Amino acid sequence: AYGLEAELTVRPARGLALTGNALWLHTRVKSYNGTNAAGQTQNFDGSQFIYSPKFQGSITLTYDTPITDSLNLNGAIAARYQSESNSIFEDLPLYKIDPYATVNASLGVKSEAGWSASIWAKNLFDKYYWSAVTSNSNVVVRFPNAPRTLGVTLGYDF
């Protein structure tokens, strides 16, 4: 396995930050004999590692600014992308994990007195995707990730 990873953070204005990262990964199995999806012995030489997409990347924009002498407004939006990957060493369509992208966001306030409150959304655009695939008794099962999730977080720093 080998790859290249990079991360860059830019702060174009006070309180504003833009961070991006990317990972390109090349994986190949060498000289491995195992059991395939049909339960037969197979040589997987040259197969891609499982759960190892060739590309992953994300970008995050954050903002934090005072709105009064003792209160800050903060927000963030983050997008993440992952290319196709396999959940087994074989190249079978049923066991592939499709490429997907998700977006998360939050908006909140934080007081110098220690309390904070925020609203947030995970999977903001309600993208249906799965991140794991397995089989049991001739049934292929895909495990989807959570749909759009909304929430409120209240906090206090002691």
Side-chain angles (χ1 to χ4, degrees):
Y2 59 88
L4 178 64
E5 183 175 12
E7 182 171 328
L8 176 66
T9 299
V10 178
R11 299 183 193 283
R14 183 180 174 126
L16 185 64
L18 179 65
T19 302
N21 66 49
L23 169 66
W24 174 77
L25 184 63
H26 178 81
T27 63
R28 288 293 175 255
V29 172
K30 291 186 178 181
S31 301
Y32 172 67
N33 291 314
T35 306
N36 65 21
Q40 304 297 317
T41 301
Q42 182 175 335
N43 183 308
F44 292 106
D45 188 40
S47 298
Q48 182 179 345
F49 288 9
I50 62 172
Y51 296 107
S52 297
K54 289 181 181 178
F55 179 80
Q56 297 178 62
S58 68
I59 188 162
T60 303
L61 179 66
T62 59
Y63 188 63
D64 190 348
T65 188
I67 52 177
T68 70
D69 288 343
S70 62
L71 196 63
N72 274 30
L73 174 70
N74 54 59
I77 187 161
R80 181 184 182 284
Y81 172 80
Q82 176 176 307
S83 66
E84 177 183 86
S85 64
N86 282 322
S87 62
I88 61 173
F89 288 126
E90 293 175 271
D91 192 21
L92 298 175
L94 281 176
Y95 293 89
K96 290 211 182 275
I97 297 172
D98 292 336
Y100 63 88
T102 59
V103 176
N104 300 332
S106 67
L107 183 63
V109 291
K110 183 171 176 117
S111 166
E112 285 185 16
W115 63 266
S116 62
S118 65
I119 57 172
W120 49 265
K122 293 183 180 179
N123 194 4
L124 183 63
F125 299 112
D126 203 22
K127 170 73 175 169
Y128 177 82
Y129 65 101
W130 57 86
S131 59
V133 181
T134 190
S135 64
N136 186 3
S137 300
N138 296 321
V139 175
V140 175
V141 180
R142 293 179 175 146
F143 297 93
N145 281 39
R148 179 187 306 122
T149 307
L150 305 173
V152 174
T153 300
L154 303 173
Y156 187 79
D157 293 334
F158 293 95

